C-alpha cells in the first residue's frame, strides 16, 4: 500500500520495549485515595469493601490480560507480575501498563456496586501506573517482600493509631505524638496492654495483603452423553480448570514459593 507523506511521523514514537528475560512488574496506585477514602466513608484503618473491590478488579486484570503470573495488592495499590518470557504486546511498556491501568480502573467502577451497596460512587477514580523490570527471581521476590513489609508496617501503625483515636479519644495529633519514635515492639505492646489486642490475631488480609495466583483445580460436571447404542446417559466429566485464587499469606519466607513452584521461571 502506498504510504502517505505523513507516515514519517511514526518515527517519532520511542522504543519502550522491556529488556528480555526480566520480570515486568506493573504497579498501580489509586490517585489521591486519601481524599477518595474520606469522601466514600471508607472504614478506618481498613475497609473490607474497598479491599474486596481492589481484589475483584485485579482478578479481572489477570483474567483479561495474558501472562500475569502473580499479583499482589494492599491499600490502594496492586502490582502485576508478567512472566519473564512474556512476548505480550512485544513487551512494550506503555501498552502493558496502560492495558493494566485501564482494565483495572474500568473494573473498579464496574464492580463498585457489588461491594458498596449503599455508598454511591461520587466521582470517577483514577490510578497511576509504573513499570519496573526485575532480572532475577531474588530481585522479584525482594520486590514483593518490600510491598508486603510496607503493608505490615502501615497496618501496625494504623491499627494502633486508630485505636488511640477511636477508643482512647486522643486527637489525631496526640496519637501521632504518642507513636513518634516507637518501634514495632512498642506498638504491639500498646495494643496488648491498653486494648487487649494481640496483633498476631488481626485479620490476615489486613496484615499480609492479597496475593493472586493461577491454580489448576479439577472440576467435575455432569454431562449428558450419547452411548454407542444410541441411549443417553448422565456421566460425570472431570476437567482441569485454571482459576485465579487469592491468598493472604507470607511472601517473604520460603514456604509460599516452595508450595507454588510454578510461579517463577528458573534464573539463567
Ligand atoms: P497518591 O497515591 O500520591 O495520589 O495519594 P494517595 O492519597 O492515594 O496516597 P497513598 O497511595 O500513599 O496512600 C493511600 C491512601 O488511601 C491513604 O491515605 C489511606 C487511603 N486508604 C487506602 N485503603 C484504605 C482503607 O481501607 N481505609 C481507609 N480509611 N483509607 C484507606
Ligand atoms: Mg503516593
Ligand atoms: Mg494512592
Ligand atoms: Mg498507595
Ligand atoms: Mg487499536
Amino acid at each position: 500500500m502506498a504510504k502517505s507523506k505523513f507516515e514519517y511521523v511514526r518515527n517519532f514514537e520511542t522504543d519502550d520495549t522491556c529488556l528480555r528475560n526480566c520480570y515486568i512488574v506493573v504497579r498501580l496506585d489509586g490517585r489521591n485515595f486519601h481524599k477518595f477514602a474520606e469522601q466514600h466513608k471508607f472504614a478506618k484503618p481498613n475497609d473490607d469493601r474497598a479491599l474486596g473491590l481492589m481484589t475483584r478488579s485485579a482478578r479481572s486484570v489477570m483474567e483479561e490480560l495474558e501472562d500475569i503470573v502473580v499479583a499482589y495488592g494492599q491499600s490502594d495499590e496492586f502490582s502485576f507480575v508478567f512472566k519473564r518470557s512474556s512476548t505480550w504486546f512485544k513487551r512494550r511498556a506503555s501498552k502493558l501498563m496502560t492495558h493494566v491501568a485501564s482494565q483495572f480502573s474500568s473494573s473498579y467502577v464496574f464492580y463498585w456496586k457489588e461491594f458498596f451497596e449503599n455508598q454511591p460512587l461520587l466521582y470517577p477514580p483514577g490510578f497511576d501506573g509504573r513499570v519496573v523490570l526485575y532480572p532475577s527471581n531474588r530481585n522479584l521476590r525482594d520486590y514483593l517482600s518490600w510491598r508486603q513489609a510496607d503493608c505490615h508496617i502501615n497496618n501496625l501503625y494504623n491499627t494502633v493509631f486508630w485505636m488511640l483515636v477511636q477508643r482512647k479519644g486522643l486527637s489525631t495529633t496526640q496519637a501521632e505524638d504518642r507513636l513518634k519514635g516507637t518501634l514495632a515492639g512498642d506498638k504491639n505492646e500498646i495494643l496488648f496492654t491498653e486494648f487487649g489486642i494481640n496483633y498476631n490475631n488481626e485479620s490476615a488480609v489486613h496484615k499480609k495483603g492479597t496475593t493472586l495466583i493461577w491454580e489448576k483445580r479439577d472440576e467435575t460436571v455432569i454431562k449428558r452423553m450419547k452411548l454407542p447404542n444410541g441411549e443417553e446417559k448422565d456421566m460425570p466429566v472431570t476437567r482441569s480448570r485454571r482459576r485465579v485464587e487469592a491468598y493472604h499469606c507470607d511472601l517473604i519466607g520460603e514456604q509460599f514459593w516452595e508450595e507454588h513452584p510454578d510461579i517463577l521461571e528458573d534464573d539463567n
Side-chain angles (χ1 to χ4, degrees):
M1 230 194 356
K3 289 183 174 182
S4 77
K5 68 171 181 174
F6 307 117
E7 191 78 15
Y8 79 95
V9 297
R10 244 184 197 290
N11 298 325
F12 282 65
E13 290 183 17
T14 47
D15 177 17
D16 63 350
T17 310
C18 294
L19 187 66
R20 287 159 170 253
N21 296 337
C22 293
Y23 290 100
I24 303 169
V25 175
V26 175
R27 181 165 82 252
L28 303 182
D29 185 282
R31 174 159 187 240
N32 205 355
F33 259 47
H34 180 71
K35 175 180 148 216
F36 188 83
E38 284 294 333
Q39 298 210 327
H40 292 87
K41 304 188 179 74
F42 282 16
K44 288 163 177 164
N46 296 296
D47 188 308
D48 288 324
R49 301 167 302 175
L51 293 172
L53 178 56
M54 290 291 289
T55 298
R56 181 65 192 85
S57 307
R59 182 185 291 274
S60 147
V61 169
M62 282 182 77
E63 286 167 350
E64 299 299 327
L65 310 186
E66 282 165 53
D67 288 349
I68 296 169
V69 287
V70 54
Y72 174 75
Q74 51 119 345
S75 181
D76 68 338
E77 68 169 62
F78 237 102
S79 298
F80 299 88
V81 181
F82 288 83
K83 67 178 185 186
R84 65 197 330 185
S85 58
S86 180
T87 54
W88 201 53
F89 275 108
K90 298 193 178 139
R91 298 176 72 82
R92 287 167 65 186
S94 54
K95 291 274 188 180
L96 299 172
M97 180 170 59
T98 54
H99 271 302
V100 170
S102 67
Q103 186 69 38
F104 190 94
S105 305
S106 64
S107 299
Y108 195 92
V109 172
F110 187 80
Y111 294 113
W112 175 267
K113 273 210 194 74
E114 284 186 19
F115 294 86
F116 288 91
E117 285 155 35
N118 303 315
Q119 170 60 57
L121 181 58
L122 301 174
Y123 58 89
F127 293 85
D128 72 35
R130 71 188 76 189
V131 171
V132 193
L133 303 179
Y134 290 107
S136 69
N137 287 347
R138 186 73 262 162
N139 293 153
L140 179 73
R141 281 185 50 182
D142 286 347
Y143 170 78
L144 294 167
S145 299
W146 173 50
R147 296 326 302 147
Q148 189 165 56
D150 186 81
C151 175
H152 164 72
I153 292 164
N154 291 333
N155 189 57
L156 179 58
Y157 183 93
N158 292 336
T159 304
V160 194
F161 181 87
W162 287 108
M163 276 291 150
L164 292 169
V165 173
Q166 291 167 346
R167 286 260 197 98
K168 274 261 157 91
L170 267 62
S171 71
T172 50
T173 320
Q174 287 171 325
E176 241 173 71
D177 288 344
R178 176 80 201 277
L179 292 176
K180 206 162 275 171
T182 55
L183 304 175
D186 305 321
K187 295 187 188 78
N188 278 309
E189 188 62 23
I190 296 175
L191 278 179
F192 193 71
T193 54
E194 297 188 30
F195 304 103
I197 293 172
N198 181 345
Y199 185 74
N200 292 328
N201 300 334
E202 291 291 286
S203 100
V205 52
H206 302 158
K207 283 184 301 185
K208 302 290 184 194
T210 300
T211 303
L212 299 177
I213 56 173
W214 287 102
E215 281 195 344
K216 284 212 178 77
R217 286 280 162 92
D218 282 346
E219 219 176 71
T220 305
V221 290
I222 305 296
K223 268 204 154 178
R224 182 143 282 225
M225 307 278 259
K226 224 179 182 132
L227 301 175
N229 66 10
E231 253 179 72
E232 283 193 359
K233 203 179 168 192
D234 284 340
M235 308 259 276
V237 181
T238 300
R239 273 183 309 210
S240 167
R241 282 198 157 230
R242 239 163 68 95
R243 51 168 283 143
V244 174
E245 295 290 342
Y247 289 89
H248 310 294
C249 60
D250 174 71
L251 293 179
I252 297 173
E254 298 302 320
Q255 190 182 345
F256 175 81
W257 301 102
E258 281 166 6
E259 285 172 3
H260 304 281
D262 298 335
I263 299 173
L264 302 181
E265 292 163 80
D266 284 344
D267 282 331
N268 69 57

